[in-house]
Amino acid sequence: MKLTILGCYSATPRFDNNPTSQVLEINNHIFLIDCGEGTQVQLRQQKIKFARIKHIFISHLHGDHYFGLIGLISTFRLLKRETDLHIYGPKGIKEVITLQLKLSDSWTNYNLYFHELESSQSELIFEDEKVEVRTIPLKHRIYANGYLFKEKPGERTLDVEAAKILNINKAYYNKLKQGFDIENEHGRLISNEEVTFDPPTPKSYAFCSDTVYKPDIVPIVMNVTAIYHESTFLDKHEHLCEPTKHSTAKQAALIARDANAGTLILGHYSTRYDDLNLFKIEAQRVFDNVELADDGKVFNF
Amino acid sequence: MKLTILGCYSATPRFDNNPTSQVLEINNHIFLIDCGEGTQVQLRQQKIKFARIKHIFISHLHGDHYFGLIGLISTFRLLKRETDLHIYGPKGIKEVITLQLKLSDSWTNYNLYFHELESSQSELIFEDEKVEVRTIPLKHRIYANGYLFKEKPGERTLDVEAAKILNINKAYYNKLKQGFDIENEHGRLISNEEVTFDPPTPKSYAFCSDTVYKPDIVPIVMNVTAIYHESTFLDKHEHLCEPTKHSTAKQAALIARDANAGTLILGHYSTRYDDLNLFKIEAQRVFDNVELADDGKVFNF
């Protein structure tokens, strides 16, 4: 599982300071999460293969999280994309994108599917044999969701040497990987654990931005491998959280701690702070394994 | 008169290659012309004072000419702008901008005025005591206008020494600057030319992008100080002009020559060309004073 931060700053784009966008590579999928202005330029810089993005997840309809989407959709058209593109985001996203396509008389030459979200409950919104994606209902000034990306458990790993010694016919190997007990060539029942290992632990990633501190998301993201949680403010500005509906680094760490997360990644820093290390120090008072997002930074899990 | 090219490339934004946007400083106005994705970042890079932009002119609703507008409008809000902002552009621009403001529940704290254009005739769309702006009807795949910015003739320059020698009362100096003949203190009629010089020649700038070769714009831009005319293609690809509704460098030069322009600035180059100097060479076969636009380039007239 590989996470590339394309942008992680709040408010307006600046020269070396991009609004929110991330790429999550998980089980052969490339998911784009949020798409602030200039995201397509960041995608090029990070050498992400545009064509392999088939699903885009937008948290909410503030500009710093989606103003780059229409440009990316248009560029896909210029690049002669033919693959379907699925957009997940709040109700309204279809209207605003299709209006812009209509005004430019530039329809896409690929299928564009909108999956508009309205629920305040966590929903399963994407699933295939390898991955599932659920919403994480957030609380911001406007309707917002985070997203939880989860690998499905893989097949068990076969201990080929043990299987040979126990005289198991190769025809049963797939059954074993799927977890079944089987009979060997002498008719003896072999329990699955004797010849297989547990599959690798499925990995998961939670994206939570923008939101106030919202402890009721903890059960949804429990035991997540890595969580990105916005930390617009430091604790000393905690009084700004409620009016702006943002969180502090400390609050992000409380979510990570209570959810037993593997790693906490902070981001969406207010431009008022010069020393981002203060975010890390503050969060580490609550939760140990803290990373700071930065534009262009890559995390491997 | 000072022109700053923020972006001059066609199609998609790249790292060092921005879509169309220009800043024209003329007679104390700062006019923004087109606003492709990332324009606000380019404005910062060129150290243009955001707050002094009060009028934005959008040529047409293809993304590479206006996808940066909503981001700039939002940033103005974050910067606590209070000054009125006037947007000139094709019908539809109001709907698309207000829809995005509505969806983000982020109304501007300044007045936003839309001046939607629908006419296929040249119109006077802005005028004050120093400058006027007219549309230049273009022909593209969708409704498009260029814009002609023109200084108004200034006052005549007073020859103070001559006025003293001719015993003219200071109370008449303003009348003289305005071009009137007046009587001196001995009752003699002094003709204006005896004590004033011609005002500086008013400067003008024509922005013409995107369009096919359209010779009927020549009378509108006649004797313009500088004209920016798109040159998406070289002459060898002239067959692409009609289907895409773009022009060649040669065609841009024909317009400049026939309009007796001072300077021709080329831009909006297709990404298929590596050597932009070929555009200049081609245009100079028709018209001598040719410049190549490039991102960040500044022209003083």
Side-chain angles (χ1 to χ4, degrees):
Chain A
M1 189 172 75
K2 178 180 170 187
L3 178 71
T4 304
I5 308 294
L6 301 177
C8 68
Y9 291 86
S10 68
T12 71
R14 286 151 196 266
F15 185 58
D16 50 0
N17 201 307
N18 294 284
T20 303
S21 186
Q22 306 187 348
V23 173
L24 181 70
E25 296 175 59
I26 180 171
N27 256 344
N28 238 1
H29 282 288
I30 298 192
F31 293 131
L32 183 67
I33 309 166
D34 277 352
C35 190
E37 186 175 351
T39 291
Q40 57 177 315
V41 177
Q42 294 306 106
L43 282 169
R44 283 184 201 274
Q45 264 203 288
Q46 301 304 324
K47 304 202 188 330
I48 307 286
K49 292 199 191 320
F50 276 45
R52 285 194 51 216
I53 297 171
K54 291 174 189 160
H55 305 270
I56 301 177
F57 300 86
I58 301 294
S59 61
H60 66 296
L61 297 183
H62 278 156
D64 56 331
H65 293 255
Y66 93 103
F67 281 166
L69 181 58
I70 179 64
L72 183 61
I73 287 172
S74 304
T75 294
F76 280 145
R77 190 183 64 85
L78 290 173
L79 297 176
K80 305 204 186 305
R81 179 190 181 103
E82 292 182 353
T83 324
D84 293 353
L85 182 66
H86 294 266
I87 314 269
Y88 302 79
K91 189 167 167 55
I93 197 166
K94 179 177 179 177
E95 185 186 1
V96 71
I97 296 297
T98 51
L99 174 62
Q100 289 177 91
L101 292 172
K102 190 187 86 174
L103 288 173
S104 65
D105 199 17
S106 308
W107 302 100
T108 59
N109 36 356
Y110 54 90
N111 291 319
L112 191 54
Y113 296 99
F114 292 93
H115 305 269
E116 294 199 315
L117 307 172
E118 293 183 87
S119 175
S120 59
Q121 305 298 315
S122 179
E123 296 178 291
L124 178 68
I125 54 171
F126 173 78
E127 183 176 30
D128 67 6
E129 64 280 8
K130 290 187 162 178
V131 179
E132 62 175 43
V133 184
R134 289 176 191 276
T135 57
I136 306 168
L138 302 177
K139 190 177 169 195
H140 192 44
R141 297 197 300 281
I142 54 173
Y143 178 74
N145 284 295
Y147 295 100
L148 176 67
F149 303 85
K150 247 178 145 163
E151 290 181 345
K152 290 188 175 176
E155 292 192 323
R156 300 185 65 78
T157 307
L158 187 65
D159 182 344
V160 180
E161 284 311 305
K164 277 181 185 164
I165 290 163
L166 289 169
N167 292 307
I168 296 171
N169 192 307
K170 282 187 180 176
Y172 290 110
Y173 282 7
N174 272 336
K175 280 274 177 202
L176 285 171
K177 288 182 190 168
Q178 289 160 25
F180 293 98
D181 301 335
I182 54 102
E183 279 185 4
N184 73 357
E185 296 193 342
H186 311 305
R188 195 192 124 201
L189 186 73
I190 307 291
S191 90
N192 192 282
E193 295 85 59
E194 285 185 70
V195 284
T196 65
F197 305 113
D198 284 348
T201 313
K203 287 173 182 164
S204 55
Y205 173 66
F207 171 87
C208 303
S209 185
D210 295 355
T211 187
V212 287
Y213 175 55
K214 191 164 180 281
D216 69 2
I217 67 170
V218 167
I220 303 170
V221 300
M222 188 57 76
N223 298 321
V224 72
T225 310
I227 181 170
Y228 173 92
H229 194 290
E230 73 128 285
S231 56
T232 304
F233 300 114
L234 292 174
D235 191 49
K236 65 178 173 183
H237 292 122
E238 201 258 331
H239 59 283
L240 297 176
C241 289
E242 188 47 38
T244 62
K245 298 284 185 288
H246 284 298
S247 308
T248 65
K250 178 183 169 189
Q251 290 170 335
L254 289 171
I255 297 287
R257 181 196 70 187
D258 295 346
N260 189 36
T263 303
L264 167 64
I265 303 169
L266 297 176
H268 203 268
Y269 321 107
S270 161
T271 51
R272 80 191 58 213
Y273 306 109
D274 288 326
D275 183 5
L276 298 184
N277 217 38
L278 296 174
F279 286 84
K280 189 167 182 172
I281 292 166
E282 177 174 307
Q284 282 184 326
R285 289 199 195 103
V286 175
F287 179 81
D288 199 46
N289 196 9
V290 178
E291 299 278 353
L292 292 176
D294 197 9
D295 297 3
K297 206 162 175 177
V298 176
F299 297 95
N300 285 290
F301 300 100
Chain B
M1 189 172 76
K2 179 179 170 188
L3 178 71
T4 304
I5 308 294
L6 302 178
C8 67
Y9 290 86
S10 68
T12 72
R14 287 151 196 267
F15 185 57
D16 49 2
N17 203 306
N18 295 283
T20 302
S21 187
Q22 306 186 351
V23 172
L24 181 71
E25 296 173 59
I26 181 170
N27 255 345
N28 239 1
H29 281 288
I30 298 192
F31 294 131
L32 183 67
I33 309 165
D34 278 352
C35 190
E37 186 174 352
T39 291
Q40 58 177 312
V41 177
Q42 294 306 107
L43 283 169
R44 283 184 200 276
Q45 263 204 287
Q46 301 305 324
K47 305 201 188 327
I48 309 284
K49 294 201 189 319
F50 276 44
R52 286 195 49 215
I53 297 170
K54 291 175 189 161
H55 304 88
I56 301 178
F57 300 86
I58 300 295
S59 61
H60 65 296
L61 297 182
H62 278 156
D64 55 331
H65 293 254
Y66 93 104
F67 281 166
L69 180 58
I70 179 66
L72 183 61
I73 287 171
S74 304
T75 293
F76 279 143
R77 191 182 64 83
L78 290 172
L79 297 176
K80 306 204 186 304
R81 178 192 182 100
E82 291 182 355
T83 323
D84 293 353
L85 182 66
H86 294 265
I87 313 269
Y88 302 79
K91 191 167 166 54
I93 198 166
K94 180 177 179 178
E95 184 185 1
V96 70
I97 296 297
T98 50
L99 174 62
Q100 288 176 91
L101 292 172
K102 190 187 86 174
L103 288 172
S104 66
D105 200 17
S106 307
W107 302 99
T108 59
N109 35 358
Y110 54 91
N111 291 320
L112 191 55
Y113 296 99
F114 292 93
H115 306 267
E116 294 199 315
L117 307 172
E118 292 182 87
S119 174
S120 59
Q121 305 299 316
S122 179
E123 298 178 290
L124 178 68
I125 55 172
F126 173 79
E127 183 176 29
D128 67 7
E129 63 280 9
K130 291 187 163 180
V131 179
E132 61 174 45
V133 185
R134 290 177 189 276
T135 57
I136 306 169
L138 302 178
K139 189 176 171 197
H140 192 44
R141 298 197 300 281
I142 55 173
Y143 178 74
N145 284 295
Y147 296 100
L148 175 67
F149 304 84
K150 249 178 144 164
E151 289 181 345
K152 290 189 176 175
E155 292 191 322
R156 301 185 63 79
T157 307
L158 186 66
D159 182 343
V160 180
E161 285 311 306
K164 277 182 186 161
I165 291 164
L166 289 170
N167 293 307
I168 297 172
N169 191 309
K170 280 188 181 173
Y172 289 109
Y173 282 8
N174 271 337
K175 279 274 177 203
L176 285 171
K177 287 183 192 167
Q178 289 160 25
F180 294 98
D181 301 335
I182 55 104
E183 280 184 4
N184 73 358
E185 296 194 341
H186 312 303
R188 192 192 125 203
L189 186 71
I190 308 291
S191 90
N192 192 281
E193 294 86 57
E194 286 186 69
V195 284
T196 66
F197 306 112
D198 284 346
T201 312
K203 287 172 182 165
S204 56
Y205 173 66
F207 171 87
C208 303
S209 187
D210 296 353
T211 188
V212 286
Y213 175 55
K214 192 164 178 283
D216 67 3
I217 67 171
V218 166
I220 304 170
V221 300
M222 189 56 76
N223 297 322
V224 72
T225 310
I227 180 170
Y228 174 91
H229 194 292
E230 74 126 290
S231 56
T232 305
F233 300 114
L234 292 173
D235 191 49
K236 66 179 173 183
H237 292 120
E238 200 260 330
H239 59 283
L240 297 177
C241 289
E242 188 46 40
T244 62
K245 297 283 185 288
H246 285 298
S247 309
T248 65
K250 179 183 168 188
Q251 292 170 336
L254 289 171
I255 297 287
R257 182 197 69 186
D258 295 345
N260 188 37
T263 303
L264 167 64
I265 303 169
L266 298 175
H268 202 270
Y269 322 106
S270 160
T271 52
R272 80 191 59 214
Y273 305 109
D274 289 327
D275 182 5
L276 298 185
N277 217 40
L278 296 175
F279 285 85
K280 189 167 182 174
I281 292 166
E282 178 174 307
Q284 282 184 325
R285 287 200 196 102
V286 175
F287 180 81
D288 199 46
N289 196 8
V290 178
E291 297 279 353
L292 292 176
D294 197 8
D295 297 3
K297 205 162 175 177
V298 176
F299 298 94
N300 285 290
F301 300 100

